[in-house]
Amino acid sequence: FPEVIPTLEALGERFQIIAVTNGNANLETIGIRHLFDGVITAAMAGAAKPASQVFEMAVRAGGASKAETLHIGDQPLHDVEGARAAGLRTAWINRNGAEWPDEYARPDMEVVHVGEILALLTVD
């Protein structure tokens, strides 16, 4: 997605960016590892998303509180519900206009693409 690299670069100027993966993405291989301050994998955390352990490890790596941490993802259960249950703020990337599943609390933000996150975040 063309907006990903410029968005990560801009966010990286203002925030710590930690990648959280269940192991299905190798950031080195796809050439974007340099855009992240850290990477948390399911293997490192001893649990996969949506388990809270992986999100808690990411919060520690980022150095902010849970309430100050925003997890951005495209999977309602693994990304949004998992992060919300762990106490993080959430943003759902809904590229295809899907309906939000009724069984989960709604995310704090919903965007069509990650580039929209920049406009939604403000810094005091």
Side-chain angles (χ1 to χ4, degrees):
F1 300 100
E3 75 282 354
V4 171
I5 290 176
T7 300
L8 288 173
E9 289 172 340
L11 289 172
E13 292 176 6
R14 296 169 38 196
F15 305 101
Q16 290 285 308
I17 302 178
I18 308 299
V20 179
T21 178
N22 279 346
N24 53 353
N26 183 317
L27 302 182
E28 295 285 349
T29 301
I30 59 177
I32 62 170
R33 171 60 183 93
H34 66 284
L35 298 171
F36 295 88
D37 297 296
V39 177
I40 304 300
T41 67
M44 292 167 62
K49 297 184 287 183
S52 63
Q53 298 96 303
V54 71
F55 296 106
E56 290 166 2
M57 191 173 202
V59 169
R60 286 191 301 275
S65 71
K66 289 180 180 183
E68 296 172 316
T69 300
L70 175 68
H71 182 76
I72 303 166
D74 61 357
Q75 296 293 319
L77 171 60
H78 293 109
D79 290 316
V80 179
E81 178 59 18
R84 186 206 58 77
L88 284 63
R89 295 180 60 216
T90 59
W92 181 37
I93 300 173
N94 182 8
R95 291 183 186 96
N96 301 315
E99 291 293 320
W100 182 256
D102 289 337
E103 63 265 30
Y104 306 128
R106 293 206 55 88
D108 295 300
M109 301 174 195
E110 181 178 335
V111 297
V112 173
H113 63 79
V114 74
E116 294 176 74
I117 295 291
L118 287 171
L120 297 175
L121 296 179
T122 58
V123 177
D124 295 333

